[in-house]
């Protein structure tokens, strides 16, 4: 007699076929569930990517930068910064993450005309020094077995670019900060870079050297040639007229180019403001051809006598005694030093209901090689 509680287990081919179909159906159901889980995870990642992809300069937000933005910049939670910063200066503030600092530096280069053509050095200390060789080493020719006499000892000059703390203080309302769609990092980088660019652009041209860079137009000038002029003094060529560029301005500009040493002419540029550019663009050579050569390629600068022209709003206008035109290799001729890292202090109290972001950056600058830059001076001689 059969036990009713014992299930029938078949052993024939038909039973094996039913068993195979049941297992295949279970596998299909498991695969369908797995695909659904994968689609859900992908959907979450896509939503997160769209929420975090507000980066106009490219790249992705690092966890450090994101935490700094969300916890400190938006909400003012300073406790979150203990593991993110290297410390705070005496007057408060924190070193911003590398991601945000790189944004500021990139936009600053695009805004500041002299920074874009000069030599920029990142330093870890406020005191940067550089030795410049003034020549003096004597060489000679000898035979293979002849004695080598001692050569003269080269002389050096030490360059210590004066520097100062450059600051910006953009403001945003708390309502803007609370808006998740507001790209705080991009806005902050743009505001800081714009203020920094405006201030440092003037300092690199005519800075006094007291708590700020020493501008190249603040450097002593003389009309003597490179071989006889004192180190650290720029050479100028007079326009031949006490108040204008003179009637022979085309020949003057050619003389300026040829006065610069051949090695410095590789990479040299013209620097002047818009008003001076307007006057220079009207100049013609003896055959009636314009000296100015407009660029035929998008993104490439216009050229004057074959060399790029950089417009710097802080250059002086054409006037008696002014030096409105500079020509030279600024990579060799002018050095900009900056202590790496922007400091930032969130201040919600001074300008309520707005939140101020007080940013500082230590920047210095000075003429590096006084033979690499030439000036045009508005003077009779």
């Amino acid at each position: 007699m059969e036990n009713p509680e014992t299930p029938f287990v078949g052993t024939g081919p038909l039973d094996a076929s039913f068993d195979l179909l049941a297992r295949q159906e279970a596998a299909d159901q498991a695969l369908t569930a797995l695909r659904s889980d994968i689609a859900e995870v992908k959907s979450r990642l896509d939503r997160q990517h769209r929420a975090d992809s507000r980066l106009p300069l490219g790249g992705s937000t690092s966890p450090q930068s994101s935490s700094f933005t969300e916890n400190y910049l938006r909400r003012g939670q300073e406790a979150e910064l203990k593991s993110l910063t290297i410390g705070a200066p005496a007057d408060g503030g924190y070193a911003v993450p590398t991601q945000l600092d790189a944004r500021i530096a990139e936009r600053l280069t695009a805004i500041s005309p002299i920074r874009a053509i000069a030599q920029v050095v990142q330093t870890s200390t406020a005191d940067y020094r550089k030795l410049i060789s003034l020549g003096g080493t004597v060489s000679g020719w000898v035979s293979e077995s002849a004695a080598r006499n001692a050569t003269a000892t080269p002389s050096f000059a030490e360059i210590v670019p004066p520097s100062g703390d450059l600051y910006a203080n953009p403001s945003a309302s708390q309502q803007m900060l609370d808006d998740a769609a507001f790209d705080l990092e991009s806005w902050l980088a743009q505001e800081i870079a714009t203020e920094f660019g405006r201030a440092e652009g003037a300092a690199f041209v005519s800075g006094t050297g007291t708590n700020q860079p020493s501008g190249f137009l603040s450097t002593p000038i003389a009309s003597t040639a490179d071989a006889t002029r004192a180190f650290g003094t720029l050479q100028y060529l007079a326009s031949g007229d006490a108040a204008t560029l003179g009637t022979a301005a085309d020949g003057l500009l050619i003389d300026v180019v040829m006065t610069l040493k051949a090695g410095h002419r590789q990479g040299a540029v013209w620097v002047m403001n818009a008003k001076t550019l307007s006057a220079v663009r009207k100049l013609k050579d003896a055959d009636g051809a314009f000296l100015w050569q407009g660029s035929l390629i998008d993104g490439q600068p216009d050229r004057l006598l074959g060399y790029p022209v950089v417009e710097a709003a802080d250059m002086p206008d054409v006037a008696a005694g002014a030096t409105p035109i500079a020509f030279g290799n600024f990579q060799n001729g002018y050095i900009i030093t900056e202590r790496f890292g922007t400091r930032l202090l969130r201040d919600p109290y001074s300008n309520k209901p707005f939140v101020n972001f007080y940013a500082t950056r230590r920047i210095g600058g000075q003429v590096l090689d006084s033979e690499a830059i030439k000036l045009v001076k508005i003077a009779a001689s």
Side-chain angles (χ1 to χ4, degrees):
M1 181 175 179
E2 295 183 358
N3 187 352
E5 296 181 357
T6 302
F8 173 77
V9 178
T11 58
L14 184 59
D15 296 326
S17 177
F18 281 129
D19 184 56
L20 179 61
L21 289 174
R23 283 184 291 174
Q24 184 175 355
E25 183 178 358
D28 290 342
Q29 291 175 351
L31 181 59
T32 301
L34 179 60
R35 287 174 176 171
S36 177
D37 291 341
I38 292 175
E40 176 62 25
V41 172
K42 185 176 182 299
S43 177
R44 290 181 188 175
L45 291 176
D46 289 343
R47 288 196 300 269
Q48 183 65 35
H49 177 71
R50 287 193 296 269
D52 292 340
S53 62
R54 301 187 301 266
L55 298 175
L57 293 181
S60 60
T61 302
S62 66
Q64 183 189 44
S65 179
S66 177
S67 180
F68 183 87
T69 301
E70 296 302 321
N71 296 323
Y72 179 62
L73 297 184
R74 289 190 188 275
R75 302 184 180 92
Q77 298 175 0
E78 297 191 24
E80 298 290 336
L81 300 179
K82 292 181 180 179
S83 62
L84 299 178
T85 63
I86 59 175
D91 59 349
Y94 296 88
V96 302
T98 304
Q99 180 86 8
L100 178 56
D101 198 56
R103 288 191 181 194
I104 296 173
E106 183 173 348
R107 296 192 177 191
L108 196 55
T109 301
I111 294 172
S112 179
I114 304 302
R115 175 183 286 270
I117 59 176
Q119 180 181 155
V120 181
V121 177
Q122 300 279 353
T123 68
S124 58
T125 64
D127 187 16
Y128 175 82
R129 299 172 182 271
K130 184 179 179 67
L131 288 178
I132 303 297
S133 175
L134 302 181
T137 302
V138 179
S139 59
W141 295 94
V142 294
S143 65
E144 181 180 359
S145 59
R148 272 66 171 172
N149 297 324
T151 61
T153 302
S155 56
F156 295 89
E158 186 179 53
I159 296 294
V160 185
S163 62
D165 284 341
L166 180 60
Y167 67 89
N169 198 27
S171 301
S173 68
Q174 188 60 53
Q175 184 176 3
M176 292 170 62
L177 302 180
D178 292 338
D179 185 357
F182 175 52
D183 189 354
L184 178 55
E185 280 196 22
S186 180
W187 170 84
L188 193 59
Q190 180 65 43
E191 291 293 311
I192 293 175
T194 299
E195 287 301 311
F196 280 3
R198 177 193 57 78
E200 73 172 25
F204 295 153
V205 172
S206 56
T208 63
T210 302
N211 297 325
Q212 61 180 276
S214 176
F216 62 88
L217 291 188
S218 299
T219 305
I221 62 175
S223 59
T224 49
D226 291 345
T228 58
R229 195 173 65 259
F231 174 78
T233 302
L234 297 181
Q235 182 182 6
Y236 74 85
L237 280 74
S239 65
D241 188 281
T244 69
L245 286 173
T247 57
D250 55 333
L252 169 66
L253 297 182
I254 294 175
D255 290 341
V256 172
V257 172
M258 302 314 298
T259 301
L260 195 67
K261 290 182 177 180
H264 291 318
R265 288 201 296 270
Q266 303 298 320
V269 298
W270 297 94
V271 179
M272 61 191 82
N273 67 18
K275 191 171 182 179
T276 306
L277 276 173
S278 178
V280 170
R281 292 191 65 166
K282 301 170 185 176
L283 296 177
K284 299 180 180 180
D285 60 18
D287 298 325
F290 284 101
L291 302 181
W292 184 274
Q293 301 167 347
S295 175
L296 300 178
I297 303 176
D298 185 31
Q300 294 295 319
D302 295 327
R303 292 180 176 267
L304 176 61
L305 296 175
Y307 295 92
V309 180
V310 174
E311 182 180 338
D314 298 291
M315 289 291 288
D317 295 335
V318 174
T323 50
I325 300 175
F327 176 76
N329 188 319
F330 283 78
Q331 278 282 333
N332 299 337
Y334 193 83
I335 185 170
I336 297 171
T337 62
E338 58 182 6
R339 188 171 182 176
F340 183 78
T342 302
R343 300 281 182 168
L344 190 65
L345 175 65
R346 187 182 191 275
D347 176 16
Y349 308 109
S350 300
N351 191 25
K352 292 182 292 188
F354 296 96
V355 177
N356 292 344
F357 294 96
Y358 177 70
T360 60
R361 195 182 187 103
R362 190 159 189 84
I363 299 176
Q366 183 179 352
V367 168
L368 182 62
D369 185 349
S370 55
E371 295 184 355
I373 300 175
K374 305 297 179 182
L375 302 175
V376 172
K377 182 178 180 180
I378 306 302
S381 61

